[in-house]
Amino acid sequence: MSKKLPPPRTPAGPSDDDVLAALADAGVPLEPDELAQRLDLRTRQRSRLDEAIERLHARGLVLVNRKGQVCVAARLDLVVGRLEGHPDGYGFLKPDAGGPDIAISAREMHKALHGDRASVRVTGTDRRGRPEGELVEVLERVNREVVGRLHEERGVWFVVAENRRINQDLLVPASDRGTAKAGDIVVVEIVEPPTGEREPIARVTEVLGRATDAGIEIEIALRKHTLPFRFSKPALAQAKRLPDRVQERDRAGRVDLTALPLVTIDGENAKDFDDAVWCERKGKGYRLVVAIADVSHYVADGDPLDRDARERGTSVYFPRRVIPMLPEALSNELCSLKPDVDRVAMVADIEIAPTGATRRYRFYPAVIHSKARLTYTEVWRWLSDPAAAAADPRAAALLPQIRALDELYRVLAAARSKRGAIDFETVELELQFDAHGKIERIVPAPRNDAHRLIEECMLAANVCAADLLAKAGHPALYRVHEGPTPEKLEQLKAFLAASALSLPGGEAPASSDYARLLDAIRPRPDFALLQTVLLRSLRQAQYSPDNVGHFGLAYDAYAHFTSPIRRYPDLLVHRAIRAVLDGRRYQPSGAGWAELGVHTSMTERRADDASRDVEAWLKCYYMQDKVGETFEGTISGVASFGLFVTLDRLSVDGLVHVTDLPRDYFRYDAARHALVGDRSGRAWRLADRVRVTVARVDLEQSRIDFTLAEDADSGRPAVSQPLARGDRPAGAGRGRPRR
């Protein structure tokens, strides 16, 4: 990721600030020659002025009008930002400077594509009272390549983008489709962007295959979300030059922990082992050693591997495939804490009191030698079944420290509860595949106390890393999680009041207030609904140099330290810690800490979105032969156009459209997360239980449609509830049409 900054002024030409100052001083639009005179530029410097104008234009700070005059964009009441398209054709401009989104009509959005940067003039307000604007100019077109399905109608070839936010069809001249056939999934290069009168024109550059080919869903997601999935040649060359084992020179300045019986505990299919742990009783408390792969020893700031890792930001985990942040020569070999080989590591050595409080800690570089690669399943078997442990020859040597880890986990878990950390109950599912790579079944992912044991160890190390950096005053990326916004808090309180509940803490509730409420409502039959609403009131965690704490975990300072193989922020934290230990400062090259926080937060969201897309497609494929079958489920979302339902045991999502509800006029009650019938008063609410029938499966759009199943005795939909009279939304019963 490169940082674009205005160049400093040099004798060779004006800076961007010089040009803006000259335009402001003039007070009127200037032709380039007039601007050059005001800046007292020689003829040979004129080209530098043109370059400055181009830079300012790209940033949306100036505009060249029809007369060729340079204008200050702010004086023209233009707003610059990023366009977000909607599948229905309209869109919004997200202003660079913040502020409310600007609605863009479908007609105006036809001139650009989702993701483009543009300048917009506000022209009024739409029917919902939002500012509405017209597109003045597209400043940056970001969609150079698009992935989609090739179609042919009456001799006209076009591609429908997989990203539904790109609403326009992409026209492909017959001579530019190569060997692609109708129905193929292809990558196209946009040759001519869209205009107000014409669709974009593109040419096929790559044929990925047919929509039902094994693995095609991942190939689509990689390109749809612009995930970097090929390492650069310089990065691969650098990885190839690295040794395959720890060298003698690597041991210099490191503590020798090779005799310590550290072990890794991961899932059965894991290949990259970031962390190894060891624990012992120390007096009435515990000593915990968490050794983390020292990726920073091999990947230096600004080198080819670092540039690729920064661009990726994170490893991306798909079913049956991983897009690693680092080449496998590092992620699965040299930096992976495999058993029975020496590895360099950064160690968090922590003393913990019997209350779970950290007494003291220290960080130091070390050389370790993992004694075993254990799985969650076998560790849990040892802990829960003494006979199984006795029958396993490896358990005799390792069980004492495994039991110490288990004891420490229970101490730390009790401290977490006392601290007031929020503990939401969630169930993860696992996709299982047949020999041909097609999804065969969906089952609950196994989770036991061995998973929680490792999680608590990692939390302890992350908290100590953040504390070290905060006390040293060294800049870094913290993992921050803020409490609810005032608007979401108000909505939450209104919803809870309707259920005769209240959230303690007034206008600034703490995580402990959330935790106390969760504990109080756990026995209630509507717990699932209440937990969902509480969860959705919170903001998304992100990376930032501003340490505002972690609301959900109830930590004053928290940083990601334990996964530098697969998360770039962890690698930055390692470098910052090493700088503190060496008595120096670390400043990443090419970008500031705030910019890196924004970028790594984006790459995390990008990876999550891509993984969700792949999972949704696979679930659609799985449900293709289940049309007409009936399932139990839970309403997981409510909108004005219908109900989103998640099926039990499958975590498959689908939509019951409002037109498939019993005949009535339906009103969306946002405060109560409900669709309410005006005539009947019946309501379908978030987290309600329902029975649904699979009506349609659209593999192309990764969409499943449900209808409510009919109760055989009453003929009514299987589940819905009438709202009490006091819960009726304002205007109910007045016969307004559904929307």
Side-chain angles (χ1 to χ4, degrees), residues 462 543 560-564 567-575:
N462 286 337
Y543 296 105
H560 276 167
F561 161 76
T562 53
S563 295
R567 289 190 306 228
Y568 194 73
D570 302 53
L571 179 55
L572 293 173
V573 165
H574 274 239
R575 290 174 181 159

Side-chain angles (χ1 to χ4, degrees), residues 207-398:
V207 178
L208 299 180
R210 306 298 285 183
T212 54
D213 290 350
I216 192 70
E217 69 282 355
I218 295 176
E219 297 297 334
I220 292 171
L222 292 175
R223 292 158 178 85
K224 174 181 173 181
H225 296 279
T226 60
L227 284 164
F229 61 96
R230 296 187 182 98
F231 287 104
S232 66
K233 290 182 179 179
L236 291 174
Q238 181 185 347
K240 191 174 182 179
R241 290 194 299 269
L242 290 171
D244 58 359
R245 59 177 63 87
V246 173
Q247 306 295 298
E248 282 306 312
R249 63 177 179 274
D250 300 324
R251 302 174 189 272
R254 294 181 178 272
V255 177
D256 187 345
L257 293 185
T258 53
L260 197 68
L262 289 149
V263 298
T264 62
I265 306 175
D266 293 274
E268 276 78 3
N269 297 322
K271 295 180 180 178
D272 52 348
F273 308 122
D274 301 88
D275 54 271
V277 294
W278 174 83
C279 182
E280 69 172 354
R281 291 296 301 264
K282 186 168 185 178
K284 294 183 178 180
Y286 301 85
R287 180 189 174 199
L288 170 67
V289 173
V290 179
I292 305 298
D294 192 356
V295 176
S296 65
H297 180 71
Y298 298 108
V299 182
D301 183 276
D303 69 17
L305 283 171
D306 182 60
R307 291 196 297 270
D308 277 27
R310 182 183 295 187
E311 182 186 17
R312 293 174 179 228
T314 180
S315 295
V316 187
Y317 292 86
F318 297 115
R320 299 172 294 114
R321 183 175 172 187
V322 177
I323 307 300
M325 187 181 80
L326 297 167
E328 290 185 2
L330 284 89
S331 61
N332 292 5
E333 298 297 334
L334 184 58
C335 290
S336 185
L337 305 184
K338 301 169 72 173
D340 304 321
V341 292
D342 288 357
R343 289 289 185 256
V344 295
M346 181 63 74
V347 169
D349 198 329
I350 312 167
E351 290 187 25
I352 299 171
T355 61
T358 298
R359 284 175 172 158
R360 62 183 64 87
Y361 63 81
R362 64 190 183 108
F363 285 81
Y364 51 84
V367 179
I368 71 162
H369 190 98
S370 172
K371 296 300 185 286
R373 179 269 199 266
L374 305 178
T375 68
Y376 296 120
T377 303
E378 62 186 333
V379 168
W380 175 238
R381 188 167 60 246
W382 290 356
L383 290 170
S384 59
D385 185 355
D392 193 327
R394 295 196 302 170
L398 299 174

